[in-house]
Amino acid sequence: DAGVIQSPRHEVTEMGQEVTLRCKPISGHNSLFWYRQTMMRGLELLIYFNNNVPIDDSGMPEDRFSAKMPNASFSTLKIQPSEPRDSAVYFCASTIHGQVAIFGQGTRLTVV
Amino acid sequence: GEDVEQSLFLSVREGDSSVINCTYTDSSSTYLYWYKQEPGAGLQLLTYIFSNMDMKQDQRLTVLLNKKDKHLSLRIADTQTGDSAIYFCAESPNTGNQFYFGTGTSLTVIP
């Protein structure tokens, strides 16, 4: 397996634009997590899905953030409208039965 | 959520052993993990230990778990400059699919 695949690796966008981050989990994994990492706040859990169903989205900063998982092999994290303070590295991770999370390489988002 | 605590920085000389410590609060943790993050990269799973184990060794890495004190440590023998990175401790409790990460310990290896 190629591991958890995230795209794009880097994204630079202007404030106010919509940003969509994508994640393909490891085949057979049934849980998927979205994390955000910044120098100031470290690693923060935004939302996680179990069997494609959102379980806990309490970490999503505000209504500008939304996440979907339409099937077991794909998830998106959308920010609309984006703001400079959203600049961070966004990681996706997947697990099977909640054990041994495997992370993607991350998407480095810069909002100018 | 659960608390996972680590010291922020550690410096060691090349060839010495490094010991990175972590404390956690959830006594129902089933798995405890160590991840390594190199600059500009994602979190790489280094090793993990089941909560019913005391120790796990994998080449230069030794994980020690003290369940009574809720203390986890990662020892890196013969530390190399390539070991310089941020090391994250994490736990997954028995109740549901969730992970709790520490703040990460930045290891600097001095040549």
Side-chain angles (χ1 to χ4, degrees):
Chain A
D1 200 312
V4 176
I5 307 296
Q6 290 188 245
S7 64
R9 289 294 310 275
H10 302 274
E11 176 82 30
V12 180
T13 190
E14 290 186 346
M15 182 174 64
Q17 296 297 307
E18 177 180 294
V19 175
T20 300
L21 312 181
R22 297 173 175 80
C23 176
K24 181 181 185 306
I26 291 175
S27 176
H29 281 194
N30 65 341
S31 296
L32 183 141
F33 302 77
W34 282 102
Y35 287 89
R36 177 172 70 176
Q37 187 179 37
T38 61
M39 288 292 291
M40 291 296 293
R41 300 173 70 91
L43 198 62
E44 302 173 277
L45 175 66
L46 300 177
I47 184 171
Y48 78 93
F49 297 83
N50 193 28
N51 294 321
N52 312 340
V53 176
I55 302 299
D56 184 355
D57 64 354
S58 59
M60 296 285 261
E62 47 198 272
D63 291 345
R64 297 184 297 107
F65 285 68
S66 62
K68 294 182 180 179
M69 191 164 187
N71 56 62
S73 59
F74 184 66
S75 176
T76 59
L77 178 68
K78 187 176 292 187
I79 308 172
Q80 166 64 18
S82 57
E83 297 182 3
R85 61 192 167 120
D86 301 330
S87 297
V89 181
Y90 291 81
F91 289 105
C92 174
S94 70
T95 80
I96 184 162
H97 303 309
Q99 299 166 4
V100 191
I102 304 299
F103 281 74
Q105 288 299 301
T107 296
R108 182 174 295 277
L109 173 66
T110 303
V111 183
V112 298
Chain B
E2 307 303 329
D3 281 333
V4 180
E5 295 191 356
Q6 303 177 239
S7 54
L8 291 179
F9 302 101
L10 176 66
S11 291
V12 297
R13 293 207 172 274
E14 190 175 15
D16 289 349
S17 293
S18 308
V19 179
I20 304 172
N21 295 301
C22 168
T23 57
Y24 60 97
T25 58
D26 189 350
S27 59
S28 71
S29 294
T30 53
Y31 289 82
L32 295 122
Y33 309 85
W34 284 105
Y35 287 84
K36 176 184 181 183
Q37 186 179 31
E38 296 181 9
L43 276 73
Q44 172 198 356
L45 178 66
L46 273 183
T47 186
Y48 61 95
I49 188 169
F50 299 119
S51 58
N52 62 357
M53 297 170 63
D54 297 325
M55 185 183 85
K56 180 178 180 181
Q57 188 156 0
D58 183 2
Q59 300 182 345
R60 292 189 299 120
L61 305 179
T62 302
V63 179
L64 294 178
L65 174 60
N66 181 328
K67 285 188 68 176
K68 175 176 172 290
D69 295 337
K70 297 178 189 171
H71 181 267
L72 182 75
S73 67
L74 174 70
R75 178 177 180 270
I76 306 173
D78 187 24
T79 313
Q80 303 298 307
T81 54
D83 296 324
S84 292
I86 300 175
Y87 291 81
F88 289 90
C89 169
E91 61 160 344
S92 59
N94 204 19
T95 54
N97 298 327
Q98 180 58 287
F99 284 84
Y100 298 100
F101 282 86
T103 54
T105 298
S106 178
L107 173 65
T108 300
V109 181
I110 304 165

